[in-house]
Amino acid sequence: MRKINLFPLLLFLLIIMPLTSAEDITFSINQTEYYFLTGQEAVIPLTINNTFDKDIAGQISYSIIQTVNQGGQSYSSTRSNVQSFSVQKGNNTLGMNFGSSNTPVTYTVSIEFSYDEQDDDYVVSLDGIKIFFVSNESQQNNQENPQQSNSEKIIDATQQNNQEQQQPQTPQEQLQNNQMNQDSQSLKEQMQQQIQQQQAEKKEFEQSVKENNEVQEMQEELQNQGYNLTEEQFNNENNNTGDFNFSYQNDEGETANIEGRMENGEITELQKQTAEDRQQMMDTLNQSQQFQDFQEQLNSEGFNQTNISFNQNGNDTTVEIEYKNDKNETAMIQAEFEDEELKEVRLEKQEDLPWYFLLLAIIIPISIISLYLYRKYILKKQVDTSKQKPIISKPFDYRNEAYRLLNDAKKNYKQGLYKDAYGKAGQSLRLFLSHYHGVKEEMTNVEMIRYLKKLKKPHDHIKQCLDLCSLVEFAKYAENESDFSKIIQVTSEVISQ
């Protein structure tokens, strides 16, 4: 048998392997849906692989859509955050902590890391991560479903034109593109400065609250009762005004909390509630004759207690005790306390519908169907079709609609309605771009930028405008006339293309 010398082949592979290994940053998670019990910290392990031979500095941002279902209705709110971040070389795991929730809620999370390398911009993004807070273990459904994202090069307008070998730009077009790039960079720098200022204000507010004598005395009381601090929440409006909440738990699993408000550095509201306080209110309630009568009435009707909650507002506390029977009918006993004194007890019960409501439920659908059939088959025959004129529906003029929204934004800004102004400016930009590129439905900010990337269209300046509009609309960024003027300018130029 003829022997084959493999040494030249192995030597060739060893030579080319370093040349073919691409430098990249990869984000990966092992699930797309995470389940946590209420009260638990939602920590998601994010695996980051950096094949560069150095640490990469950039910005990491995330947006969270919080969805709560109550009484058959769905309520959503959005919050976002941007901060400086450095990805260490090699393979590392970062624990992303999204906090906890005491009630069932769903988070939809998007994570994005942007950086520049050798004068090029890159982005790594993970979208559609679901976090479910559930009330019992049987609702947990954690399953492995890996998701991974690699760095994508962001192609700006100039690079896109070169790649598509378009005709040289006119001086006017070059000036316009240069101005848009300068405006986008300026917006980015101003947003970074504003974010840094907000972080400094929040840190100063937290320090002011923690150093307040009243807060410290109340915290010391809870610690002497065996409670340990488990969570801190600060919702500041500036460096010395905002709301705060401290959550505690003892070794028996009993909870307590301190909540309050500071205005201009002074505590204006401060109250605490412990398991002992709640037990004392329940003892007082159980001694109430009216409460006993309500309970006896519900028990005789087959109702069983399902839940109890305490809602505190200053010195007032509302105790809500929920009931349900075998027919899934619900009832609730509400008790109002002022300090520790019981003020009122009332019963709210789901009543059976009167007979005339049931009759109306039958008559109304029959009437609607009868009217429809009459107009469709009888009235239609009485119309002289020779005299009818064809009805021509005009196509939706999305350009004019975008201009109308932009003009409304300008009016709102002059009226001091800054959140509405920024919101309508962003809506104008999204609406135009959606229809201009053949999508009949308006997209979200994330969907719009992803779609423009897919089309390889310039999008940096658009992303800056949309991000800025969202930050102001959701009170995460303070408005200023310079930013708003640039948003109006960029949006006007996009609509007029």
Side-chain angles (χ1 to χ4, degrees):
M1 185 187 313
R2 182 182 177 184
K3 295 183 178 180
I4 300 176
N5 188 358
L6 297 178
F7 179 76
L9 177 60
L10 294 174
L11 181 61
F12 174 73
L13 291 175
L14 290 173
I15 293 173
I16 68 169
M17 278 178 63
L19 299 176
T20 58
S21 61
E23 294 178 318
D24 193 12
I25 293 178
T26 303
F27 280 13
S28 58
I29 52 178
N30 56 5
Q31 298 174 211
T32 55
E33 294 184 352
Y34 294 84
Y35 290 81
F36 299 91
L37 291 175
T38 52
Q40 286 185 337
E41 294 284 333
V43 180
I44 295 178
L46 175 66
T47 301
I48 305 176
N49 186 24
N50 177 8
T51 59
F52 289 89
D53 60 355
K54 61 180 180 179
D55 296 349
I56 300 296
Q59 283 191 327
I60 191 166
S61 62
Y62 66 82
S63 63
I64 302 175
I65 301 175
Q66 177 177 325
T67 305
V68 180
N69 294 309
Q70 292 182 347
Q73 299 290 328
S74 179
Y75 304 91
S76 296
S77 61
T78 304
R79 57 189 173 96
S80 58
N81 188 23
V82 182
Q83 63 186 41
S84 300
F85 184 72
S86 180
V87 174
Q88 299 179 352
K89 63 180 180 179
N91 197 27
N92 301 280
T93 299
L94 174 68
M96 300 284 289
N97 192 331
F98 294 95
S100 63
S101 175
N102 294 326
T103 58
V105 66
T106 301
Y107 292 167
T108 303
V109 180
S110 297
I111 305 171
E112 184 175 284
F113 175 68
S114 56
Y115 64 97
D116 60 84
E117 180 66 21
Q118 297 181 353
D119 297 328
D120 288 324
D121 294 327
Y122 294 86
V123 64
V124 190
S125 58
L126 288 173
D127 300 320
I129 304 170
K130 295 282 189 179
I131 299 175
F132 299 93
F133 286 98
V134 296
S135 55
N136 57 69
E137 293 184 359
S138 63
Q139 296 174 297
Q140 291 183 316
N141 188 25
N142 289 302
Q143 296 182 0
E144 188 171 344
N145 183 18
Q147 182 180 350
Q148 178 176 303
S149 175
N150 298 81
S151 298
E152 293 183 10
K153 183 177 179 181
I154 301 174
I155 303 176
D156 61 24
T158 304
Q159 291 173 318
Q160 181 66 26
N161 289 339
N162 291 337
Q163 289 183 0
E164 295 180 0
Q165 297 182 348
Q166 294 180 349
Q167 295 181 355
Q169 293 180 329
T170 65
Q172 182 179 2
E173 290 173 335
Q174 291 178 353
L175 179 63
Q176 182 180 8
N177 283 334
N178 289 337
Q179 183 64 41
M180 291 173 68
N181 290 333
Q182 292 173 7
D183 290 344
S184 297
Q185 183 62 29
S186 177
L187 280 173
K188 183 177 180 180
E189 292 174 356
Q190 291 183 24
M191 288 176 65
Q192 290 174 348
Q193 293 174 0
Q194 185 69 24
I195 290 169
Q196 292 173 356
Q197 180 182 349
Q198 288 178 344
Q199 291 173 344
E201 288 181 352
K202 184 176 183 180
K203 187 175 181 179
E204 186 177 347
F205 174 73
E206 292 179 9
Q207 186 175 356
S208 298
V209 171
K210 291 180 179 179
E211 293 178 352
N212 181 270
N213 291 333
E214 296 178 77
V215 175
Q216 290 179 350
E217 290 176 3
M218 200 168 282
Q219 288 180 322
E220 187 175 349
E221 288 180 19
L222 290 181
Q223 290 171 358
N224 292 336
Q225 294 175 19
Y227 287 95
N228 299 311
L229 181 65
T230 57
E231 184 182 4
E232 300 174 344
Q233 292 182 348
F234 298 92
N235 184 20
N236 64 303
E237 298 167 14
N238 52 46
N239 65 329
N240 59 14
T241 299
D243 302 312
F244 57 89
N245 184 286
F246 298 94
S247 299
Y248 293 81
Q249 190 172 9
N250 61 19
D251 294 337
E252 286 74 34
E254 297 173 328
T255 61
N257 73 289
I258 297 174
E259 63 180 28
R261 178 170 178 81
M262 174 179 281
E263 294 184 359
N264 299 321
E266 299 292 333
I267 296 294
T268 57
E269 297 177 17
L270 186 64
Q271 56 270 338
K272 70 177 176 67
Q273 189 180 90
T274 66
E276 291 81 5
D277 296 331
R278 292 190 286 270
Q279 185 59 51
Q280 184 174 350
M281 283 188 282
M282 287 305 302
D283 292 342
T284 302
L285 187 58
N286 285 324
Q287 295 173 7
S288 165
Q289 184 61 49
Q290 191 174 20
F291 176 73
Q292 295 174 10
D293 292 341
F294 286 152
Q295 269 201 322
E296 184 177 351
Q297 175 186 342
L298 292 176
N299 290 335
S300 65
E301 296 174 358
F303 284 90
N304 297 309
Q305 181 178 325
T306 59
N307 187 42
I308 182 171
S309 60
F310 297 79
N311 302 313
Q312 188 174 12
N313 182 18
N315 295 327
D316 298 331
T317 302
T318 302
V319 182
E320 296 181 345
I321 307 175
E322 300 174 11
Y323 298 82
K324 183 182 288 187
N325 62 14
D326 294 337
K327 300 178 183 178
N328 285 327
E329 295 172 336
T330 60
M332 178 187 295
I333 296 178
Q334 288 187 330
E336 301 290 345
F337 283 85
E338 183 177 337
D339 291 326
E340 298 176 357
E341 183 180 356
L342 179 61
K343 291 294 186 180
E344 182 184 2
V345 182
R346 58 182 177 270
L347 172 62
E348 296 181 0
K349 191 171 63 168
Q350 175 185 336
E351 300 289 348
D352 294 333
L353 291 175
W355 64 269
Y356 47 82
F357 275 102
L358 298 176
L359 183 61
L360 287 175
I362 298 173
I363 294 175
I364 291 176
I366 294 177
S367 301
I368 293 173
I369 294 172
S370 300
L371 179 61
Y372 170 78
L373 294 175
Y374 172 76
R375 297 183 65 178
K376 182 175 180 65
Y377 295 105
I378 299 177
L379 189 62
K380 185 177 179 181
K381 294 180 181 180
Q382 300 174 0
V383 177
D384 185 0
T385 57
S386 62
K387 295 182 181 180
Q388 291 181 344
K389 295 182 180 180
I391 300 175
I392 302 175
S393 60
K394 294 182 179 180
F396 177 55
D397 192 339
Y398 60 88
R399 194 182 301 271
N400 281 342
E401 179 64 16
Y403 274 126
R404 185 189 68 78
L405 287 169
L406 196 60
N407 289 330
D408 287 347
K410 295 176 185 177
K411 294 177 183 178
N412 288 150
Y413 191 88
K414 290 180 180 179
Q415 296 168 350
L417 304 174
Y418 300 123
K419 290 184 180 181
D420 293 338
Y422 279 82
K424 287 182 180 178
Q427 184 183 2
S428 171
L429 186 55
R430 290 194 304 271
L431 182 140
F432 175 80
L433 288 172
S434 299
H435 286 80
Y436 182 77
H437 292 293
V439 181
K440 301 304 181 185
E441 295 181 357
E442 185 180 340
M443 297 182 179
T444 64
N445 292 355
V446 175
E447 292 171 340
M448 175 57 65
I449 299 304
R450 187 185 298 120
Y451 189 71
L452 292 176
K453 288 180 182 178
K454 183 178 180 182
L455 296 178
K456 296 183 178 180
K457 298 291 184 182
H459 59 273
D460 280 353
H461 58 299
I462 293 174
K463 185 177 187 301
Q464 294 289 345
C465 288
L466 293 177
D467 287 346
L468 188 56
C469 288
S470 295
L471 287 172
V472 175
E473 188 177 2
F474 294 105
K476 299 293 184 182
Y477 182 80
E479 64 79 28
N480 66 74
E481 188 172 355
S482 176
D483 287 346
F484 188 73
S485 298
K486 289 175 182 178
I487 291 173
I488 296 298
Q489 178 186 350
V490 171
T491 305
S492 298
E493 291 172 351
V494 170
I495 297 175
S496 62
Q497 64 184 354

